[in-house]
Amino acid sequence: ALALGLLFTLGMVLADGANGFWIATLLHNADRRARIASRVMGLAIAGLSLAVAAYGAARYFSRPVADWSEGRELALGLGVMALVAGSYLAARLLARAPGFVPR
């Protein structure tokens, strides 16, 4: 149990550290592009966090979801990482789009 707790903590530190690094890089230049990119990344991370929480609740309350997720933990984790990286790339692309203006 201790090793699992430490492994979880390490994973969260790495994920939050990477997210903080990406956001800090985006905010380095406080111009229109940085504002757009930080909003896109913030919304993506918030949405992904809510989705992970909903998935965790679904696993807890629904036996079929728990059964389905058995053995798919690595794929789901890689999917979360891919979504974060994809949202970073989308933020960069939207920030460079000349006609895109955030509200």
Side-chain angles (χ1 to χ4, degrees), residues 4 22 24-25 41 46-47 51 54-55 57 61 64 73 75 90-91:
L4 183 60
W22 284 338
T25 301
M41 279 300 294
Y55 170 70
F61 291 112
E73 293 85 3

Side-chain angles (χ1 to χ4, degrees), residues 23-49:
I23 295 296
T25 301
L26 293 171
L27 292 176
H28 186 262
N29 297 324
D31 60 357
R32 182 187 75 81
R33 292 186 322 172
R35 187 176 67 228
I36 293 169
S38 68
R39 287 182 184 175
V40 171
M41 279 300 294
L43 288 172
I45 295 298
L48 190 58
S49 298

Side-chain angles (χ1 to χ4, degrees), residues 72-101:
R72 292 186 168 98
E73 293 85 3
L74 179 60
L76 292 171
L78 291 173
V80 167
M81 290 177 11
L83 285 172
V84 170
S87 65
Y88 175 75
L89 293 175
R92 299 284 301 222
L93 290 173
L94 282 174
R96 292 175 189 230
F100 186 77
V101 179

